[in-house]
Amino acid sequence: MPFLGDGDCYFQGTRVGQFTMEESSKKRPFFSSIDDMVEEEYYDEQLTEKKRHLTHEQVRMLEKSFEEENKLEPERKTELAKKLGLQPRQVAVWYQNRRARWKTKTLERDYNHLKSCYDILKSDYKSIAKENENLKAEIFLEHFKEPLSTRVNVFVTSLVLYVFISLTKKLEPKDVLGTSIVGQDSNSAIGEVGDIPAPSDKIKVEDHLSVGHGGSAVVDDYDGPQLLDSGDSYFPDDSYLSEYVVVYVDRSEEDDGGDDGHKHFRYPFETTDHEDNDALGWWVWS
DNA sequence: TTGTGTTTTATTGCCTCC
DNA sequence: GGAGGCAATAAAACACAA
């Protein structure tokens, strides 16, 4: 006979469950061997106690009760057990399993709902992205409708400016530690060459270097010079501009004729040239 | 009939609350 | 510490195809 460990219960020669000594004494008869079990008077009773499904009527009543309240109060449990001819424990177990099934179903439903929401959003995103691409292409084509001379002019000017700025940076005065002193004192170094606006001077810059200059960049109240770019400027690095270009602005320049109360300088390094070139940026004094 | 997958009933161990 | 809930799991019952 095989060794039967604590809690192994047998029914008709097969293991029917595991119980601790304590539990088995309380709930079900404990058989230490198959022979013991066969000899027990309880054997016949076990046949009727064999696990079986509840009747349709019992399930119907339990379902109805569950619909009303999915938690089982002790009084309700006793009442239902009495009414259905079941052990209170069976009713409790049924509720437990029913809640588990309900939870699984709910999770499944929630998952499907979220998935459909996700699919809709994904589809929306795709159509918006496509529309965005179309608009970009439209803007690109619009740009090439401009005269070639204008485009070349913008490009060359940008290039010259970039080279100029790069050279200026290399030639800038340095202190004994090799640190640039530009910007440390508005009255020193390059500041002596031109007319650097004091930090308190309000300078606004608009970028007309960008393609599609119809909508110039936003201008704010930043205390120092700045270049605002509408996003597609030819400048390789706008930070150069904000740092240096302002040195060459001529504050004595007359108004350019605009009625906005500002003076516009089309070229940072050509303070008096008012020749038309709408593709270029200008500085604005406020 | 048998193998296999699914559903239902029941147990176990852990956790929280009172 | 006991009662009750829950997740994980076992095992019986059931369904169904081959």
Side-chain angles (χ1 to χ4, degrees):
Chain A
M1 183 189 301
F3 171 77
L4 301 167
D6 273 352
D8 284 328
C9 293
Y10 283 78
F11 177 71
Q12 291 182 332
T14 57
R15 197 172 70 90
V16 294
Q18 284 185 309
F19 301 95
T20 63
M21 294 294 278
E22 193 184 7
E23 280 172 336
S24 60
S25 65
K26 265 194 275 178
K27 297 177 180 174
R28 292 186 179 186
F30 173 73
F31 306 104
S32 59
S33 71
I34 296 170
D35 293 339
D36 284 352
M37 182 192 75
V38 171
E39 284 168 14
E40 271 286 339
E41 286 179 10
Y42 200 80
Y43 178 80
D44 287 340
E45 202 178 323
Q46 276 287 93
L47 276 173
T48 58
E49 209 182 284
K50 194 179 170 188
K51 183 162 128 183
R52 63 178 167 215
H53 286 183
L54 305 179
T55 66
H56 288 301
E57 184 58 19
Q58 285 170 328
V59 172
R60 194 185 64 79
M61 297 272 282
L62 286 165
E63 285 285 357
K64 193 181 167 192
S65 174
F66 185 83
E67 269 179 36
E68 288 170 19
E69 176 65 61
N70 71 347
K71 294 276 179 181
L72 189 61
E73 299 299 324
E75 301 82 36
R76 193 188 181 84
K77 180 168 67 179
T78 315
E79 192 189 325
L80 268 171
K82 209 175 268 181
K83 206 192 284 186
L84 300 173
L86 297 169
Q87 294 293 320
R89 171 75 184 152
Q90 279 179 294
V91 175
V93 166
W94 187 90
Y95 259 74
Q96 193 61 58
N97 288 321
R98 186 65 183 78
R99 277 195 294 268
R101 287 197 292 272
W102 177 81
K103 191 179 176 183
T104 306
K105 217 167 189 174
T106 305
L107 284 172
E108 205 174 295
R109 199 187 58 213
D110 288 350
Y111 169 79
N112 287 332
H113 176 68
L114 286 172
K115 191 173 181 300
S116 66
C117 287
Y118 169 77
D119 288 341
I120 290 167
L121 282 172
K122 196 171 149 188
S123 156
D124 284 354
Y125 172 79
K126 276 184 181 172
S127 63
I128 288 169
K130 195 174 178 182
E131 195 182 333
N132 190 28
E133 286 303 312
N134 289 340
L135 289 170
K136 275 183 184 172
E138 213 171 283
I139 290 167
F140 181 76
L141 291 173
E142 196 65 32
H143 169 60
F144 277 92
K145 284 180 187 169
E146 291 186 13
L148 182 63
S149 59
T150 302
R151 282 181 272 134
V152 170
N153 208 348
V154 171
F155 176 73
V156 170
T157 307
S158 302
L159 189 63
V160 167
L161 189 56
Y162 175 67
V163 170
F164 169 77
I165 288 165
S166 300
L167 289 173
T168 306
K169 187 159 183 134
K170 282 182 181 167
L171 293 172
E172 74 183 20
K174 303 241 181 338
D175 62 16
V176 289
L177 295 172
T179 309
S180 171
I181 59 175
V182 173
Q184 292 177 359
D185 182 349
S186 62
N187 293 322
S188 63
I190 292 178
E192 294 168 3
V193 177
D195 188 3
I196 300 176
S200 60
D201 287 337
K202 293 264 183 176
I203 297 176
K204 293 182 178 179
V205 183
E206 294 181 20
D207 171 26
H208 278 226
L209 290 162
S210 307
V211 177
H213 48 73
S216 65
V218 177
V219 177
D220 61 20
D221 286 329
Y222 170 55
D223 278 333
Q226 58 176 304
L227 178 77
L228 297 160
D229 186 3
S230 57
D232 47 5
S233 171
Y234 282 107
F235 285 113
D237 185 351
D238 292 345
S239 63
Y240 284 101
L241 291 166
S242 60
E243 197 174 340
Y244 295 103
V245 173
V246 72
V247 170
Y248 297 91
V249 171
D250 184 353
R251 296 172 84 176
S252 65
E253 178 61 12
E254 293 299 330
D255 194 291
D256 65 345
D259 58 1
D260 56 359
H262 301 308
K263 292 176 183 178
H264 295 157
F265 301 91
R266 299 201 183 276
Y267 301 100
F269 36 85
E270 291 181 26
T271 60
T272 58
D273 187 340
H274 282 218
E275 288 300 312
D276 271 341
N277 191 339
D278 287 343
L280 292 176
W282 61 62
W283 296 93
V284 183
W285 294 101
S286 60

